[in-house]
Amino acid sequence: MLIRIVKMEFDASKIDAFLHNFETVKADIRNFPGCQHLKLLRDKNDASIFFTYSHWTTEDDLEKYRQSELFKGVWATTKPMFRSKAQAWSVDAIANLV
């Protein structure tokens, strides 16, 4: 399993538009083949910083999503709302205590 974390910083005036768009696409992203988990997080100290936290079965599944029309549409809508370039990490879970 691959975990993907994406940090996005938005212009304050664009946050509502981002949240509205995320609401319309979140189920499609979560139901994309290979996506096992999707969570949207918001920074406690800066309300304009968000993170997506997703689990993918394989790196290939994530790459198929990134090449999909769904991602291209989501990104084309979201990217112009950023106040700075998004940052992304692909990580492996080392320990998971529940």
Side-chain angles (χ1 to χ4, degrees), residues 8-50:
M8 301 168 288
E9 298 183 27
F10 291 92
D11 287 326
S13 65
K14 307 289 184 178
I15 292 171
D16 288 342
F18 164 70
L19 290 171
H20 176 75
N21 186 60
F22 187 81
E23 189 64 29
T24 65
V25 298
K26 68 183 182 183
D28 292 332
I29 297 169
R30 172 55 187 87
N31 292 316
F32 195 87
C35 184
Q36 302 173 353
H37 176 87
L38 175 64
K39 189 179 288 189
L40 179 64
L41 307 167
R42 190 177 212 169
D43 189 88
K44 290 291 255 181
N45 298 311
D46 186 338
S48 64
I49 298 176
F50 292 81

Side-chain angles (χ1 to χ4, degrees), residues 39-65:
K39 189 179 288 189
L40 179 64
L41 307 167
R42 190 177 212 169
D43 189 88
K44 290 291 255 181
N45 298 311
D46 186 338
S48 64
I49 298 176
F50 292 81
F51 300 84
T52 54
Y53 179 85
S54 56
H55 295 183
W56 295 86
T57 305
T58 67
E59 269 188 75
D60 190 50
D61 291 324
L62 172 60
E63 190 56 32
K64 285 177 184 171
Y65 167 67

